[in-house]
Amino acid sequence: MDNKEYSAGLTELRAVRDELKPLERELAQLQAKVDKLRERRAEKIRELGGYAKATSDRIATAAGLGVIDIVALVPSLAPQSAPEAPAEPPATETVTDDQLAAQAPAEPIKETTVAPKTDAPQTVEPSGTVARLGAAPADGTSDLEVLAEPEQAATAPAPAAAGVGEAERVLPSIPAGAEGDAWFRAEPNLASKRPNFKQAARGMAFLDASTGVLVWQGGTVRLDLGRASVAEILTAVYAVAPASVERIYVTAGDPWHQGAERHEFLKDAVAAWLNGPLPEGWTVEASRGRDRQAGHLVHPRNPVGRWQRGDQHTEIRSVGEWFDPEGADPATVRAAFVELWKALRPHFEDVVLMGSPSQTGRDLWSRTIPTKAGAKWADGFPVMSQEIRGLLHATAGQGRTELITPPRVPERVPGWYEVDRTFAYAKHTWASGVGVPKRITAARFAAMSEKEQTNALFAPSHWQVRVTVPKDWNHVGLLPAPAPGERAWHYPYEGGQTFTTWAGGAELNLALRNPIAPWRIEILDGLLWESGDPLKSWSTKLQKAWRSLRAIAEMHGDEQQKKACAMASRAVRSILLYGIGTFAQRPRITTGSLELGAGGEVPDLPDGARLTGITDTHVTWERNQGFARDQYAHPEWAAGVWSAARAALLSVSTSSKDPETGKPLKAGALHLPPGSILAFRTDAIYTSAPVEWPYGGEPGDYLLKGRMPWEQTTPRTDEEFYYLQGLGRQALEAEGM
């Protein structure tokens, strides 16, 4: 660029500035109007919610919101529990599975909390007994002790405000007495049993939407896709591929992001693409025999579109559900799926690769359920009551996502290091809670011996606790606490701070026995399961497949096969990761679309649905249908794995041993200097301190993934964080070249 081009560029930039300013002023005025209307709507909702016969679903329909939005404004309209769906025959795929599979760990799943109603503050037993653990007093009594508090002190305090104008979420409690005890039951005639059928294999094709290259078992062709609309893809693909191809995986090009600049949200662009015009004879899929799967899944990155033409059915999906193809051509991606099937086949006789890793994972797990007469759980693993499932959904978070910014850390730091736990969830599948849990009230816990208390905390369990941070604490927070926002969590860290929350036994043990200083824990209520290993066989088989694929990827001489096996190994990780997520059984979210009426009139939405998008021809909607009667709903297993993984992010034994003592070496955030932790992302730690933990390549070991050993400006936003993340990975890769 010379001086003339530079001057011309400045002139162009000024023109853009002058054009942008009035639009920004107009946008600010519109936003102010929107804010006023939203406030009017909220006021009207609160007013209507005071009517004795008011129902959340009717108000939601009138307001164009979801039921959960109404309940947030008028808590008294919250249902006691989610309605049960009628029993249905086993489905090969479910909307819930797809919704889980379409998420990546870096971006938490949007969830709708459906939890038992609680209008009162959290309480413990009327007797006022509180079981208190940790932080030994000065008189030298045990670190694990039980104290009797005055009755008036038994009520948990209201959570402190999280910020100006923001109140923290109050997590639900188990009702006192017989009402709460009634929650501890299994759903009648509902248990996880091994299926007596084999999944139907469906033909796959792999399409690069940017180049038009299509690969399937029958060959490779280059298609003219035009603008890659749904109509153009369906027409072009089925002009050459047989009708037996029922899944089209897009490997590159993301056609659903067409016209994204015309929409405020990426999800709206996806909805517009999915609901575009169709070729003659094609319609949006409505049903497929016993399969309840129908309609589209609108997701900003990994959507699923489903269509049919007579008896012919097809899906268009993103291969990003399984792994990042990293620029691989469709032939290599297809080879990865072939290698994945070959690696799983020796361990799972009936393996069929389904549409998403979550569906595949749950199906493979179901085929490890015991069937031998007399074997424990041969009659199936019982599904807990809706109340307990709702409680776990509301109180058991997933991976830890936290960005730590100044003044907690310096404005500039001496370096940037990223370490990530390899195949982390596989490390925490050896023991899980089985059967119906026991209720452990504060009084019952207080009556236990010290050994019984310790055993209870080490067993599969989930506890309501009041937590006090040590006064001289100077490191990161250890336990999740509810934060403002749906399904949001933060990690209190300030010395002397007290808060009430729910946490798994793994995290409580970490808080009580961490390498720095024990935290004080007061048991208010809890769920205690019998320890079993329902996930062990499934996880072990997946780990064997994972190791074999990694070994081939390291040694294979052919570059395409080398890359295919590496991608297949990441697909195995996705099968376990998202398979565990399916046990959590979120409330069933369904989506749909309706054509606009004459003159662009918006049609009436189904009861309880909320408007999520609008185009020139269609509106899209979303509805929370609560918890389905699902025989594979085991949120206790997902919650246990997530809790153990969050604890391991702070301190965990590695597969490497100290050469002097022979004991496993420790790793985790608490083994790094105070003030050096910059962020957590599910199983990854970002720190300003050099990390030299040995890597043995086993599940749960920390792998160095990014390094910049020079001064950096501390990120304050997610955008700045991801920018440094990318630079750190590039810098480490450059070191190895």
Side-chain angles (χ1 to χ4, degrees):
M1 177 182 292
D2 56 23
N3 188 55
K4 183 177 180 181
E5 290 174 325
Y6 179 70
S7 298
L10 289 174
T11 301
E12 184 179 352
L13 184 60
R14 293 187 191 100
V16 172
R17 176 199 64 193
D18 294 341
E19 186 178 353
L20 183 60
K21 278 188 174 181
L23 293 175
E24 288 177 334
R25 286 195 294 270
E26 183 179 347
L27 180 61
Q29 292 171 354
L30 287 172
Q31 187 61 52
K33 290 180 180 179
V34 169
D35 291 341
K36 286 183 179 180
L37 287 171
R38 283 176 175 165
E39 183 56 36
R40 279 178 54 192
R41 180 176 65 183
E43 290 176 1
K44 196 64 181 177
I45 289 170
R46 293 189 188 98
E47 177 187 334
L48 293 170
Y51 177 53
K53 296 183 179 180
T55 61
S56 56
D57 56 342
R58 291 196 64 186
I59 296 178
T61 301
L65 296 173
V67 171
I68 194 64
D69 302 311
I70 305 303
V71 171
L73 291 168
V74 190
S76 61
L77 295 180
Q80 286 287 348
S81 61
E84 283 194 2
E88 297 185 54
T92 56
E93 303 175 9
T94 68
V95 172
T96 304
D97 286 347
D98 261 348
Q99 196 169 7
L100 286 164
Q103 317 299 323
E107 183 177 328
I109 300 167
K110 178 186 176 185
E111 300 166 348
T112 305
T113 300
V114 177
K117 177 180 175 182
T118 174
D119 296 326
Q122 299 164 348
T123 59
V124 297
E125 284 291 289
S127 64
T129 302
V130 177
R132 176 176 292 167
L133 305 94
D139 62 6
T141 53
S142 170
D143 282 354
L144 187 63
E145 64 176 339
V146 178
L147 302 178
E149 293 194 341
E151 186 169 339
Q152 61 268 28
T155 300
V164 179
E166 291 183 312
E168 293 210 15
R169 290 180 297 125
V170 176
L171 298 178
S173 300
I174 305 172
E179 181 184 357
D181 292 341
W183 289 16
F184 291 78
R185 68 183 192 281
E187 286 290 343
N189 304 314
L190 191 64
S192 303
K193 298 182 180 181
R194 183 182 291 205
N196 57 7
F197 64 93
K198 183 177 179 179
Q199 296 288 357
R202 298 181 184 176
M204 304 179 187
F206 301 87
L207 174 67
D208 184 330
S210 58
T211 64
V213 173
L214 177 75
V215 177
W216 78 102
Q217 189 176 19
T220 300
V221 296
R222 185 180 295 272
L223 306 175
D224 181 2
L225 298 179
R227 296 182 62 255
S229 66
V230 171
E232 289 167 317
I233 289 177
L234 292 176
T235 300
V237 168
Y238 288 107
V240 295
S244 58
V245 169
E246 297 186 55
R247 289 195 187 108
I248 303 169
Y249 282 107
V250 174
T251 65
D254 295 346
W256 39 80
H257 289 164
Q258 289 180 12
E261 69 282 355
R262 299 195 300 270
H263 299 273
E264 184 178 0
F265 300 107
L266 200 57
K267 196 171 181 180
D268 295 337
V270 173
W273 184 84
L274 288 170
N275 291 296
L278 295 173
E280 185 177 353
W282 286 92
T283 60
V284 175
E285 183 182 66
S287 64
R288 193 190 302 201
R290 294 191 308 168
D291 194 345
R292 291 176 296 174
Q293 193 81 299
H296 306 317
L297 170 67
V298 182
H299 183 273
R301 291 173 294 104
N302 297 318
V304 181
R306 302 183 181 91
W307 298 272
Q308 66 184 83
R309 180 173 57 179
D311 294 332
Q312 179 184 357
H313 298 259
T314 193
E315 296 177 336
I316 297 180
R317 314 181 72 113
S318 169
V319 79
E321 295 179 79
W322 292 85
F323 48 75
D324 181 356
E326 298 179 345
D329 60 78
T332 305
V333 173
R334 181 179 181 273
F337 276 79
V338 172
E339 293 299 325
L340 173 62
W341 185 87
K342 287 165 60 178
L344 293 172
R345 182 68 175 80
H347 310 293
F348 299 97
E349 182 179 340
D350 292 337
V351 60
V352 172
L353 298 183
M354 301 177 69
S356 68
S358 64
Q359 296 161 356
T360 304
R362 190 168 73 171
D363 182 66
L364 293 179
W365 172 79
S366 71
R367 298 172 193 281
T368 66
I369 298 173
T371 56
K372 186 178 180 181
K376 195 164 189 180
W377 310 115
D379 293 332
F381 294 100
V383 173
M384 294 180 298
S385 69
Q386 280 199 75
E387 291 86 353
I388 291 295
R389 283 181 280 148
L391 179 74
L392 286 169
H393 173 70
T395 61
Q398 297 185 44
R400 181 170 181 168
T401 298
E402 184 179 16
L403 182 64
I404 300 174
T405 58
R408 287 182 63 186
V409 290
E411 295 281 352
R412 293 186 66 80
V413 290
W416 172 272
Y417 302 86
E418 175 191 1
V419 283
D420 183 79
R421 296 185 70 216
T422 298
F423 206 13
Y425 284 7
K427 179 84 171 180
H428 308 295
T429 53
W430 303 115
S432 302
V434 288
V436 177
K438 297 178 182 177
R439 182 179 188 180
I440 308 297
T441 63
R444 186 172 180 179
F445 192 88
M448 291 178 174
S449 67
E450 183 175 327
K451 182 179 180 180
E452 288 172 332
Q453 291 177 350
T454 301
N455 290 342
L457 290 175
F458 275 101
S461 52
H462 191 61
W463 304 91
Q464 185 183 33
V465 291
R466 185 159 55 224
V467 183
T468 301
V469 183
K471 288 185 179 179
D472 57 352
W473 187 259
N474 67 344
H475 219 296
V476 296
L478 305 186
L479 294 173
E486 185 181 343
R487 299 289 294 168
W489 301 88
H490 67 159
Y491 294 80
Y493 63 93
E494 295 177 340
Q497 186 175 3
T498 296
F499 59 96
T500 300
T501 190
W502 284 84
E507 290 169 285
L508 294 189
N509 277 306
L510 185 281
L512 288 165
R513 299 170 177 83
N514 70 79
I516 299 175
W519 285 29
R520 172 161 293 192
I521 307 295
E522 301 170 56
I523 300 295
L524 306 180
D525 215 335
L527 297 84
L528 178 64
W529 285 269
E530 176 186 343
S531 183
D533 58 0
L535 304 179
K536 184 177 179 180
S537 174
W538 173 70
S539 175
T540 300
K541 292 178 178 182
L542 289 176
Q543 289 179 60
K544 289 179 179 178
W546 174 76
R547 287 189 178 94
S548 68
L549 287 166
R550 281 166 59 94
I552 296 172
E554 290 175 3
M555 297 184 298
H556 208 293
D558 183 89
E559 282 302 315
Q560 184 189 54
Q561 289 302 108
K562 190 181 185 78
K563 190 165 188 176
C565 288
M567 289 189 294
S569 72
R570 293 197 292 273
V572 174
R573 173 189 176 274
S574 296
I575 287 172
L576 185 135
L577 174 70
Y578 296 123
I580 288 171
T582 64
F583 293 124
Q585 199 217 18
R586 275 78 173 166
R588 186 178 173 87
I589 306 295
T590 56
T591 62
S593 65
L594 295 168
E595 287 191 42
L596 293 174
E601 181 181 353
V602 177
D604 291 335
L605 302 181
D607 287 345
R610 62 189 291 263
L611 187 68
T612 58
I614 185 167
T615 68
D616 293 339
T617 59
H618 288 76
V619 295
T620 55
W621 53 265
E622 182 178 272
R623 179 168 57 183
N624 177 358
Q625 293 187 302
F627 293 104
R629 189 172 166 81
D630 184 354
Q631 65 173 326
Y632 298 126
H634 291 286
E636 67 275 20
W637 299 347
V641 171
W642 295 335
S643 175
R646 290 194 300 269
L649 203 58
L650 301 169
S651 182
V652 69
S653 297
T654 69
S655 64
S656 300
K657 294 185 178 181
D658 187 318
E660 296 182 3
T661 65
K663 294 181 179 180
L665 292 170
K666 295 283 189 177
L670 296 183
H671 300 279
L672 293 170
S676 68
I677 307 300
L678 304 177
F680 294 101
R681 285 294 186 276
T682 309
D683 298 315
I685 300 172
Y686 298 82
T687 175
S688 60
V691 182
E692 298 179 353
W693 299 327
Y695 178 67
E698 290 299 306
D701 282 355
Y702 278 97
L703 171 66
L704 184 66
K705 294 187 69 174
R707 175 169 57 195
M708 292 187 289
W710 55 84
E711 192 174 88
Q712 304 289 333
T713 299
T714 303
R716 288 179 171 270
T717 65
D718 283 345
E719 183 180 8
E720 293 171 354
F721 164 80
Y722 286 116
Y723 178 72
L724 280 183
Q725 181 195 65
L727 289 181
R729 293 177 179 180
Q730 291 173 19
L732 182 63
E733 185 178 351
E735 288 181 21
M737 291 182 176

